[in-house]
Amino acid sequence: MRHKTFQPTVTFSRWLIVALGMVGGMAISQPLALPPALIAFNSPKGEELFLKSNARDDYWNLSIQFVTQINQAYCGVASMVMVLNSLGIPAPTASQYQPYRTFTQENFFDNPATQQVLSPNVVRRQGMTLEELGKLLGSYPVTVQVYHSADSSLEEFRRLAVKNLSQPGNFVLVNYLRSKIGQERGGHISPLAAYNRESDRFLILDVARYKYPPVWVSAQDLWQAMATTDPTAGKTRGFVLVSRRQ
Ligand code: CA
């Protein structure tokens, strides 16, 4: 009798452990599923688009500087750190890597001129607008061109971005609304790494690596996601071109 009554308890316990494990696993989870319109970089199709890409010069430098944003508001900071390191801009010492110098999301605001634009506490709370992204970058010795989508066009964006992605020494950052490309969900910033002409798609190196893989997105869809209003700024999102200051 004892054995018989004990057995269901064990079974129930096992079921409970498995069930909790599944719930826990979902909570900490793998990257979220992509909508059909997006192509994961790490898929056979994504690989093919990269191998056939005609504008991927920026991928090589960005890929070795690819970082995950350290909090959910730091997409802009993570993107700028990648670009500044890729451009070889003189970096401050990183406390965790002393005596080596590199830009990190922790030391990005060590520069007094950067703090004057926006404090890290404000960015931690609310992220940044496209304009602030441009100003924060401009607190370092780089040349920055900010394009709000309202003042540009898909054709201009495609032309400038494809040219840039084919050249060394400069980079493209995009500021877009995730929900417009079927992702979760608000405003986001990440670097572009490549373009595939045949499919008219750009590769976004998404810095929220805990959430999504890098994706190939159609130029049209990306443009529509940039052609949205950032309520904090009261202006449209868009893109930024960054290069070494001559
Ligand atoms: Ca470039």
Side-chain angles (χ1 to χ4, degrees), residues 26-174:
M26 282 161 70
I28 55 174
S29 198
Q30 306 295 306
L32 302 174
L34 290 177
L38 296 177
I39 299 168
F41 183 39
N42 58 332
S43 67
K45 182 66 181 167
E47 188 178 320
E48 186 191 336
L49 290 177
F50 184 76
L51 294 174
K52 293 181 177 171
S53 161
N54 55 308
R56 59 182 181 193
D57 197 89
D58 289 359
Y59 173 79
W60 308 111
N61 275 315
L62 289 172
S63 67
I64 59 175
Q65 300 294 344
F66 196 5
V67 295
T68 305
Q69 61 185 91
I70 56 171
N71 63 53
Q72 298 212 45
Y74 258 34
C75 52
V77 178
S79 300
M80 289 188 283
V81 162
M82 287 173 65
V83 164
L84 292 174
N85 282 330
S86 296
L87 288 171
I89 302 301
T93 307
S95 59
Q96 65 269 52
Y97 306 130
Q98 275 188 352
Y100 299 102
R101 291 170 172 271
T102 188
F103 284 100
T104 66
Q105 294 168 70
E106 289 86 4
N107 73 14
F108 177 82
F109 287 97
D110 285 359
N111 182 13
T114 309
Q115 288 248 16
Q116 274 186 3
V117 177
L118 218 53
S119 79
N121 283 337
V122 171
V123 177
R124 233 175 257 128
R125 279 201 308 275
Q126 62 189 47
M128 67 188 65
T129 66
L130 180 68
E131 206 131 0
E132 289 164 345
L133 175 72
K135 286 182 179 162
L136 287 167
L137 275 168
S139 68
Y140 286 98
V142 294
T143 299
V144 186
Q145 292 164 283
V146 175
Y147 294 83
H148 289 275
S149 56
D151 306 323
S152 185
S153 64
L154 169 58
E155 290 68 33
E156 184 184 45
F157 164 64
R158 187 193 285 111
R159 180 172 54 78
L160 292 173
V162 171
K163 184 179 169 196
N164 187 302
L165 291 168
S166 314
Q167 296 172 329
N170 54 22
F171 294 95
V172 188
L173 298 177
V174 287

